[in-house]
Amino acid sequence: MPDAAAAPSAVRRFPEGFLLGAAAAAYQIEGAAHEDGRTDSIWDAFSRVPGAVINADNGDVACDHYHRYRDDVALMKELGLDTYRFSTSWARVHPDGGPVNPKGVDFYSRLVDELLEQGILPWLTLYHWDLPQALEEQGGWANRDTALRFRDYALTMHDALGDRVKVWTTLNEPWCSSFLSYTGGAHAPGRQDVGAGLRAAHHLLLGHGLAVQALRERDASLELGITLNLTVAKPVDPTRSGDLDAARRIDGQFNRVFLDPIFRGHYAGDLLADVGHLGLRDAILPGDLDVISTPIDALGVNYYHGEYVSDRPAEHPLGGQAPTDRPTRSPFPAAEGVHFHSQDLPQTGMGWEVQPDGLRELLGRVHREYAGPAGVRLFVTENGAAYDDEVAPDGAVHDAERTEFLLGHLSAVLDAIDEGTPVHGYFYWSILDNFEWAWGYDKRFGLVRVDYDTQERTVKDSGHAYRRVIRDRGLTAASAR
């Protein structure tokens, strides 16, 4: 017989009001890339660069969500989602960065209406990497003017949706849209310029602050925030100064480069010592950090894996980047001599190590050092895994590894809450299989399988497991079955 004393631990409930949702992004699912007035974003252009994306895939059709959004929202309802985090496409709303495109705005208005009709909270992200290509040709995020244009775009979306959308995220993962994109060259626009990446990071933060100020002025009742992809950077040998410095650099150039300006109104001294002379100091104008540190209401944390680093090379280096034909460089502006080691953990199909406890640790740190003192609500806005799904003869997708990943990370969120970290919601990435940036359609993250030839949707076992979690408002013995 099971131990009666252990029985209560079999049911772990989420707090009252905890949001359970899923996420997606415009370019990754919408398709209709040149329909109803939309023009190229930087990802449309980058996808045409030879060797930039596996199989030369692009988002021209993707999941055809632009035409199938009602069916997709019905699927969300079937799964029981409390909320859906989506992004609006700057290139659809302001084609070429020009005047408002009414047809583009209307799509998002109809999507919001459909979500509300189904009782699903719309959680809007203004920027998930699809800068109009015409603005990139004027300097992109390395050009300070783009931050001002972003504020105007935010107000356009508020004009259209502000009466119905109450939760607004400015940026998704500015680390990716600056360092991975302008310094590393792995993402659009594909530059490999350390100075441009640092300027882009600062201007993204400036655009965030300007948008928060403008939206707050419009409606003080809005819940405003930003989403950052963050990591836990640990030294391979915590007794070696070289390993400790490697962890410090990665933490600084991944986490603190965004957290400190937003929450503390400055860039950390050690970060400025590492990268200030590479172009960051030149980008900072008087008053910028006051704008960037405009108070927010919510911080979204995106977490996929941790980092295990050393100043010594790894015997078996970790991958994780798309094996494209186009050469790239390190996205970190000043982390030469930092090497990423395996922790001998299971890996996803992306080559990312599965480390649920890192999420618990990360949430605790962010709450203690940043969100908590500022009175900012904390959410997990992305967490998910790609695996090489196989369709069974009966058409089902038995994705046991993804189900285990999902339940393990939800358990880590509950661990964080048990330790006193007030986490208010969790969004799985992603609701649908989709265009996975430089990986193209080679990797699948979805709770719902998409057959890209027929656009047929199939809820995977992980989706069914998540539905049970949402139904039970917690993790139970039945969650995995």
Side-chain angles (χ1 to χ4, degrees):
M1 292 180 62
D3 183 354
S9 65
V11 180
R12 304 185 69 195
R13 304 289 182 192
F14 290 99
E16 186 73 24
F18 189 92
L19 294 175
L20 289 160
Y27 189 73
Q28 293 179 271
I29 66 169
E30 284 179 4
H34 300 101
E35 192 169 330
D36 289 340
R38 185 188 179 280
T39 57
D40 273 0
S41 74
I42 53 176
W43 271 97
D44 295 281
F46 187 64
S47 296
R48 294 193 289 266
V49 174
V53 177
I54 289 177
N55 298 322
D57 290 339
N58 59 56
D60 286 0
V61 177
C63 305
D64 197 31
H65 176 72
Y66 189 78
H67 300 111
R68 300 170 186 265
Y69 72 93
R70 288 190 178 88
D71 292 339
D72 289 339
V73 172
L75 264 178
M76 297 173 203
K77 177 70 172 179
E78 179 184 330
L79 293 176
L81 299 188
D82 298 324
T83 181
Y84 170 55
R85 178 173 169 257
F86 66 98
S87 74
T88 52
S89 167
W90 194 345
R92 194 178 296 285
V93 171
H94 285 285
D96 296 330
V100 176
N101 173 25
K103 290 184 177 179
V105 169
D106 180 64
F107 168 70
Y108 297 109
S109 185
R110 287 182 281 117
L111 173 61
V112 166
D113 285 345
E114 193 72 19
L115 289 166
L116 291 172
E117 187 173 325
Q118 297 298 332
I120 299 169
L121 175 72
W123 186 294
L124 187 153
T125 298
L126 286 163
Y127 187 70
H128 201 131
W129 310 351
D130 46 2
L131 183 72
Q133 174 63 17
L135 295 186
E136 171 59 26
E137 291 167 7
Q138 297 172 36
W141 284 108
N143 178 1
R144 185 181 180 87
D145 185 61
T146 302
L148 305 178
R149 288 174 174 264
F150 178 70
R151 175 195 58 198
D152 296 342
Y153 158 57
L155 290 176
T156 293
M157 294 316 305
H158 186 268
D159 287 342
L161 305 178
D163 59 331
R164 288 159 289 159
V165 175
K166 297 305 176 185
V167 185
W168 295 71
T169 297
T170 53
L171 308 173
N172 178 77
E173 299 186 349
W175 186 87
C176 292
S177 48
S178 57
F179 298 128
L180 197 58
S181 303
Y182 285 84
T183 293
H187 279 192
R191 296 202 223 172
Q192 298 181 38
D193 181 332
V194 169
L198 287 164
R199 292 194 302 276
H202 182 71
H203 295 152
L204 280 154
L205 285 173
L206 181 62
H208 153 76
L210 290 169
V212 169
Q213 288 184 342
L215 290 169
R216 185 84 71 204
E217 185 177 335
R218 282 281 183 89
D219 184 351
S221 72
L222 298 178
E223 184 164 358
L224 305 175
I226 189 171
T227 279
L228 305 176
N229 55 314
L230 302 173
T231 193
V232 176
K234 292 188 173 182
V236 171
D237 183 349
T239 68
R240 292 189 72 258
S241 60
D243 287 15
L244 289 168
D245 191 64
R248 179 196 63 79
R249 283 176 177 262
I250 297 306
D251 181 53
Q253 295 170 48
F254 204 118
N255 297 331
R256 292 183 288 115
V257 63
F258 299 106
L259 286 166
D260 284 342
I262 292 167
F263 286 95
R264 297 175 177 171
H266 66 255
Y267 290 102
D270 71 303
L271 177 77
L272 287 172
D274 288 339
V275 306
H277 64 291
L278 299 176
L280 180 58
R281 281 196 181 94
D282 295 338
I284 305 168
L285 298 187
D288 282 3
L289 287 160
D290 290 336
V291 173
I292 291 168
S293 59
T294 299
I296 57 175
D297 306 299
L299 174 66
V301 172
N302 291 1
Y303 171 84
Y304 291 92
H305 59 87
E307 316 294 344
Y308 199 46
V309 296
S310 172
D311 65 344
R312 296 163 296 172
E315 183 178 355
H316 302 290
L318 281 175
Q321 293 295 333
T324 54
D325 296 330
R326 182 175 175 273
T328 59
R329 55 146 286 158
S330 168
F332 295 101
E336 297 84 0
V338 174
H339 301 277
F340 295 83
H341 289 239
S342 170
Q343 300 180 69
D344 295 324
L345 298 170
Q347 295 185 9
T348 71
M350 305 283 280
W352 298 347
E353 292 194 310
V354 179
Q355 188 183 355
D357 194 58
L359 179 56
R360 174 201 59 80
E361 185 176 347
L362 176 63
L363 291 168
R365 179 210 177 175
V366 172
H367 172 67
R368 287 190 307 272
E369 298 183 18
Y370 295 99
V376 170
R377 300 209 307 160
L378 201 57
F379 295 82
V380 177
T381 39
E382 281 186 32
N383 172 245
Y387 290 103
D388 297 327
D389 300 331
E390 294 185 6
V391 181
D394 63 356
V397 179
H398 303 301
D399 56 338
E401 290 176 306
R402 183 178 292 103
T403 301
E404 183 179 354
F405 182 100
L406 167 67
L407 298 178
H409 284 79
L410 285 168
S411 182
V413 172
L414 286 170
D415 290 343
I417 293 170
D418 288 346
E419 291 179 352
T421 303
V423 186
H424 296 275
Y426 173 94
F427 294 76
Y428 179 82
W429 180 272
S430 61
I431 182 66
L432 301 172
D433 290 339
N434 56 43
F435 176 82
E436 189 46 48
W437 308 116
W439 289 90
Y441 297 101
D442 196 56
K443 299 299 178 187
R444 294 175 179 268
F445 276 83
L447 297 170
V448 177
R449 184 181 190 275
V450 177
D451 183 320
Y452 297 116
D453 294 327
T454 66
Q455 293 297 337
E456 181 182 2
R457 273 71 160 147
T458 303
V459 178
K460 304 175 188 178
D461 282 2
S462 58
H464 292 300
Y466 196 34
R467 176 168 50 195
R468 290 189 289 273
V469 169
I470 297 170
R471 178 198 65 200
D472 296 339
R473 309 308 302 173
L475 301 181
T476 70
S479 296
R481 295 200 299 269

